[in-house]
Amino acid sequence: MSANKQYRRMMMALETCFSGKWGEELTGIPDLLVLTAASPYETSKADSFSQELGVFVSNAFTRAFRSELLKFEDTSFYNLYMSLHKATNGSHVSIYNETNYGSVYSNSIGDYFPL
C-alpha cells in the first residue's frame, strides 16, 4: 500500500497477544504508526467479562482507547499512548515506527477520528 501511494498516513492499533511482534515487523514503512497492547513477548490481558456471553469481550487497552475517543477531544498520539500505558495492566503498551511517521507530539488522533 505504501509503495502504491494508497494512503497519506496510517495508524494501526492492535490489541492481540504478542502484538508488539507486528509493531516490529511493520517498522520501516513510511507514514505508518503502530500502537500495540502488548510487547512481542507477552500476552494481552483480558479485562471486560460479559456475564451474558460467559466470555471476556475486551481488554484494558481497547477500553482506554475507546474512552479517549469518547472524550471528543483532539489529543496527540503521545498523549494517547500515555493514557493507554497508564490504563493497561499486565502488559506493556508500545508504540512502533514513530520515526517513520512524524511527530507523535504534534500529530493527533483527530486525523483519524474527526471530533
Side-chain angles (χ1 to χ4, degrees):
M1 289 177 68
S2 175
N4 293 329
K5 306 279 188 226
Q6 293 179 316
Y7 64 89
R8 183 177 67 84
R9 283 208 168 126
M10 184 184 301
M11 185 268 302
M12 295 178 73
L14 305 167
E15 80 163 1
T16 63
C17 296
F18 312 104
S19 52
K21 191 66 175 161
W22 279 100
E24 290 179 344
E25 292 297 320
L26 295 169
T27 296
I29 298 174
D31 303 311
L32 171 67
L33 184 70
V34 183
L35 292 165
T36 67
S39 80
Y41 310 103
E42 65 188 356
T43 58
S44 175
K45 307 298 188 242
D47 138 292
S48 298
F49 188 80
S50 168
Q51 293 293 337
E52 181 181 338
L53 299 174
V55 297
F56 283 95
V57 293
S58 186
N59 70 21
F61 175 85
T62 299
R63 185 175 35 81
F65 196 103
R66 185 173 183 271
S67 175
E68 285 299 313
L69 294 180
L70 291 176
K71 288 180 183 176
F72 297 105
E73 296 174 2
D74 197 10
T75 188
S76 71
F77 280 109
Y78 176 77
N79 289 338
L80 174 62
Y81 164 76
M82 292 303 293
S83 293
L84 295 172
H85 180 73
K86 290 176 188 174
T88 304
N89 295 320
S91 65
H92 297 86
V93 172
S94 301
I95 191 166
Y96 293 90
N97 204 41
E98 68 278 4
T99 57
N100 293 298
Y101 180 79
S103 175
V104 294
Y105 299 99
S106 61
N107 290 316
S108 71
I109 63 173
D111 291 343
Y112 300 94
F113 304 99
L115 308 171

